[in-house]
Amino acid sequence: MSRSTNVNILDRPLGKGGTSRSSALDQSVSLSSFAYLFSEMVQYHQNRVDSISELERRLEATGYGVGLRVLELLAFRAREYKRETRLMNVLQFVSITVWKALFGKAADSLERSIDHADEFMIVDYAPITSTFVSVPSDFGGLSADAYLSGIICGILEGAGFPARVTAHSVDMEEGETAPASSASTGAPLLPPRKSKAVFLVKFNQSVLSRDAAMG
């Protein structure tokens, strides 16, 4: 009896479609599908809230559940996954391993706050939720990237690093340009972004104390 060569769904790449089409087309179809589903999800929550802040909290909560499952999936795929115990290691896991699994590239940078030891920033110049999804003018204060901050929060808490994660749109400084990996997002007709997404991660004090105790 021959062994089946079908690939288990848990072993398939994230964010790609079937294997019968070109990789470029698969990525395009996946992107349009995500934009449609994300738009529907935003509208669903929008009809059930009274303020933008409440809508963002709902997006974060939805992303949180996704983050828990992404962590579980990546741990399963790693086979010999070893739970991260150090703060910087888990942040690098999120900004590199998770970002590549979800978006096909690492985050553009991981920075530590100069003023606050418990705060770190994951920077992405072209986050999928705000690059390919337009926000109506009357929702100008809405951060569609709140969904991604929920995913980050779910992964960190699932890994044992409780933190508050918030998404912020920060204007790029004069002369600042997006890295090539973010500039080539597969949508050449879009105008260049004038802002970048900064995901502010503020860890609980217990995380810092544990990390300091480990030397």
Side-chain angles (χ1 to χ4, degrees), residues 5 11 22 24 35 44 48 50 56 62 74 83 85 104 150 169 172 215:
T5 58
D11 293 321
S22 67
Y44 173 84
R48 289 162 175 77
D50 298 321
E56 289 181 344
T62 304
L74 293 179
R83 180 174 175 270
T85 57
S169 180
M172 287 191 280

Side-chain angles (χ1 to χ4, degrees), residues 42-59:
V42 173
Q43 291 182 52
Y44 173 84
H45 291 306
Q46 176 187 339
N47 294 331
R48 289 162 175 77
V49 300
D50 298 321
S51 66
I52 292 177
S53 59
E54 187 177 354
L55 176 56
E56 289 181 344
R57 285 195 294 271
R58 284 185 174 240
L59 292 177

